[in-house]
Amino acid sequence: MADKVLDPVCGMMVDPDRAAGHVDHKGTTYHFCSKGCVAKFTATPDAYLSGRREVMSAPVLQIGGLKKPSPALSPQPS
């Protein structure tokens, strides 16, 4: 397994052998975590090489709702 490298778009560490994509730019090969990062880099590589990063947000998953605490577990007013 190769050492991990930085995806210049999102900042994620990527194993070059398992990367979703690779782009050669000005003599350097860059590796990406997703096809989306490849597309963003290809469109404006110099923006990402200057240090700009995309903010990665985790998907929101909600299962059920919040339950009201039982009265026995609720804080008692002072």
Side-chain angles (χ1 to χ4, degrees), residues 8-33:
V9 174
C10 67
M12 185 173 176
M13 297 306 290
V14 178
D15 177 348
D17 296 333
R18 300 180 56 139
H22 314 272
V23 174
D24 291 320
H25 178 71
K26 295 183 179 179
T28 301
T29 302
Y30 297 93
H31 307 277
F32 301 90
C33 70

Side-chain angles (χ1 to χ4, degrees), residues 8 30 41 44-53:
Y30 297 93
F41 182 84
T44 56
D46 293 327
Y48 295 103
L49 296 176
S50 69
R52 177 178 145 198
R53 298 280 182 265

Side-chain angles (χ1 to χ4, degrees), residues 61-68:
L61 176 65
Q62 181 176 355
I63 300 174
L66 295 176
K67 292 183 178 181
K68 289 185 177 182

Side-chain angles (χ1 to χ4, degrees), residues 1 3 5 14 16 19 25 34 39-40 42 45 49 53 66 70 73:
M1 181 171 92
D3 289 332
V5 295
V14 178
H25 178 71
S34 69
K40 290 176 182 179
T42 301
L49 296 176
R53 298 280 182 265
L66 295 176
S70 97
L73 299 177

